[in-house]
Amino acid sequence: MAGIYIHIPFCRKRCHYCDFFKSTDLTQKARLLAGLKNELESRAPELNSEEINTIYLGGGTPSVLLMDELKDLLSTIRQNYKVSIDAEITMEANPDDLSQAILSAIHGIGFNRLSMGIQSFAESDLKLMNRRHGVMQAIQSVKWAKKAGFSNISIDLIYGLPNQTLEEWERNVGIAVELDIQHISAYNLTYHEGTVFYDQLKKGVLKELPDELSLQQFEVLIRILKEAGFEHYEISNFCKPGLYSQHNSSYWKSKKYLGIGPSAHSFDINSRRWNVSSIAKYLQGLENNEPYFETEILSEQDSYNDYIITGLRTIWGISEEFIKTEFSAQYFIHFQKVSKKYVQSGHVIYSSGKLTLSQDGLFISDKIMADFMVVESC
Ligand code: SF4
């Protein structure tokens, strides 16, 4: 079982909070697509004994691609990899690129899951974030997607925005629930260096929301979505029963994945690899058979820490038995010591050999993960 992620590094406009690798210069699109095909073909041997269960087109903005370009990418994957018949095939899309006809075509060529970057249902938030779409466009796009045949739709929302009140956030979550979709990813705003929001924060143009208010927004999110029948299966992810993002779940369950395109990361259990975050260097590398990526062989400590960070984020948690059998004794001793502390404080729940975060633990998840991790040889 393995997954393929393809990074489409183009956006029509830069959102003010976003630090993903992207370019607003689309002139290199055709050359980049040829590069992605080249990388897909040349790396097929890495997964030749694996069945591909998930394909994810992310970015950037995959919906800037034309239908023939999307079709071509999917056929390149099908020609070079063993894609399972019921594979989850997701495409990220921005509401302003969509219409009924486009969504029907996207569904028709084989995408069976749609992840829409909506972020907020308040016009003022969308303007502040420099998003291109409006609220009505977002709502209409979800309706069109359903009509086009998508029965697995996810939307992204952001909370903790400057000046966002609890009531405004509650209204956002309420609208998302009314849309009757299957999956919601909700992230607390982070001010990443290099973004417009970061500069505005430093200049005092924007003011960070107090931590207590962001936490209250997180609580409201969990309460409303649970009442509406969503499972809270990962710190920032909620789904209708069983409709987990299979692709993202494979990251959290440490399954193999291939990352294609500039800045994309790959993981094969023993090593991590990341492609260069530059379209020019990526293409130059591929076209001239020069390196365009770096690789890191994972040490035991890296693997232990990865297992902790990914496992603790989810309802599947960390297996005590796995830590005992897969890692040296000193990791198990450290793990037991930290587990005891957090089980006693009620931030972590121990049940049937698995450790998961409790509701209180979710609010201090960063600290708990940091404590479980090993930063020096133990
Ligand atoms: S949030 Fe999405 S659309 Fe906006 S700049 Fe980032 S990748 Fe592009």
Side-chain angles (χ1 to χ4, degrees):
M1 279 176 66
I4 296 178
Y5 170 82
I6 303 184
H7 191 77
I8 307 297
F10 298 116
C11 293
R12 298 194 199 278
K13 198 169 153 184
R14 282 173 189 273
C15 303
H16 286 171
Y17 55 90
C18 175
D19 76 333
F20 293 142
F21 175 68
K22 75 267 171 192
S23 164
T24 48
D25 173 11
L26 272 72
T27 53
Q28 293 293 309
K29 193 173 69 156
R31 213 175 135 213
L32 191 271
L33 286 168
L36 296 177
K37 282 178 71 173
N38 179 349
E39 190 184 1
L40 276 167
E41 286 160 1
S42 62
R43 294 184 65 193
E46 292 180 39
L47 293 182
N48 64 1
S49 54
E50 303 280 345
E51 187 170 60
I52 306 302
N53 306 92
T54 64
I55 297 169
Y56 193 104
L57 221 63
T61 313
S63 50
V64 301
L65 298 187
L66 303 172
M67 215 47 63
D68 281 347
E69 294 168 336
L70 290 166
K71 218 160 139 184
D72 207 20
L73 280 176
L74 286 186
S75 16
T76 305
I77 297 176
R78 292 193 187 284
Q79 281 157 15
N80 291 279
Y81 298 84
K82 282 182 252 156
V83 180
S84 77
I85 191 147
D86 57 351
E88 177 191 89
I89 308 180
T90 305
M91 176 173 154
E92 287 181 354
N94 279 349
D96 41 294
D97 289 323
L98 303 174
S99 67
Q100 181 65 77
I102 289 175
L103 282 160
S104 298
I106 291 174
H107 189 258
I109 61 173
F111 288 94
N112 53 28
R113 186 170 183 276
L114 198 68
S115 174
M116 295 172 69
I118 286 183
Q119 320 307 356
S120 174
F121 291 105
E123 297 290 358
S124 53
D125 290 343
L126 295 174
K127 267 206 186 77
L128 184 76
M129 288 188 271
N130 204 33
R131 297 291 303 184
R132 277 189 306 140
H133 69 271
V135 174
M136 288 324 292
Q137 230 172 351
I139 294 175
Q140 187 58 57
S141 299
V142 173
K143 291 181 181 164
W144 281 332
K146 287 184 186 181
K147 226 170 146 193
F150 283 99
S151 54
N152 200 348
I153 301 173
S154 178
I155 67 165
D156 284 356
L157 292 176
I158 298 181
Y159 62 96
L161 288 167
N163 301 320
Q164 188 178 43
T165 65
L166 197 55
E167 292 68 33
E168 281 164 0
W169 173 242
E170 205 164 336
R171 191 178 154 272
N172 263 346
V173 184
I175 296 175
V177 167
E178 278 168 26
L179 285 175
D180 193 23
I181 43 168
Q182 291 71 34
H183 192 280
I184 296 174
S185 302
Y187 302 99
N188 190 10
L189 176 69
T190 307
Y191 292 84
H192 296 286
E193 214 172 327
T195 62
V196 172
F197 267 10
Y198 181 87
D199 293 342
Q200 290 178 336
L201 183 73
K202 291 285 151 213
K203 286 182 193 145
V205 179
L206 289 182
K207 218 169 140 229
E208 219 167 340
L209 210 65
D211 283 350
E212 313 81 71
L213 185 48
S214 295
L215 272 182
Q216 283 175 346
Q217 293 184 338
F218 187 39
E219 274 177 308
V220 159
L221 171 77
I222 297 171
R223 177 178 52 76
I224 298 180
L225 293 187
K226 279 195 174 165
E227 283 168 9
F230 281 83
E231 275 188 67
H232 187 190
Y233 73 100
E234 194 269 347
I235 293 176
S236 310
N237 286 278
F238 302 78
C239 67
K240 288 284 171 65
L243 290 169
Y244 315 111
S245 159
Q246 290 177 42
H247 186 78
N248 289 341
S249 298
S250 54
Y251 295 156
W252 302 318
K253 291 180 177 175
S254 306
K255 304 255 165 65
K256 276 188 186 183
Y257 57 86
L258 211 61
I260 304 288
S263 83
H265 285 228
S266 305
F267 173 73
D268 82 345
I269 316 294
N270 301 315
S271 68
R272 272 192 290 249
R273 150 182 168 150
W274 54 99
N275 288 353
V276 63
S277 294
S278 151
I279 295 175
K281 286 184 187 152
Y282 171 76
L283 291 173
Q284 189 189 324
L286 273 166
E287 290 164 1
N288 302 306
N289 226 359
E290 292 164 6
Y292 57 93
F293 58 87
E294 284 180 67
T295 310
E296 180 190 23
I297 305 295
L298 296 174
S299 65
E300 185 180 24
Q301 185 174 311
D302 294 331
S303 298
Y304 167 85
N305 286 340
D306 279 356
Y307 180 67
I308 293 292
I309 303 170
T310 50
L312 216 45
R313 304 184 65 83
T314 70
I315 51 168
W316 302 292
I318 306 172
S319 156
E320 188 178 47
E321 186 60 25
F322 186 81
I323 304 254
K324 195 173 177 181
T325 52
E326 297 294 319
F327 300 101
S328 313
Q330 61 264 42
Y331 288 92
F332 188 60
I333 294 167
H334 172 74
F335 169 78
Q336 280 190 310
K337 202 173 93 197
V338 183
S339 326
K340 201 171 158 203
K341 170 177 147 192
Y342 283 115
V343 170
Q344 271 171 4
S345 68
H347 290 99
V348 157
I349 299 165
Y350 178 80
S351 168
S352 313
K354 290 269 169 88
L355 231 63
T356 50
L357 293 176
S358 68
Q359 173 101 3
D360 286 343
L362 281 171
F363 300 121
I364 54 160
S365 57
D366 288 348
K367 169 158 179 31
I368 299 177
M369 285 180 207
D371 279 0
F372 270 105
M373 284 168 66
V374 169
V375 279
E376 284 159 19
S377 261
C378 58

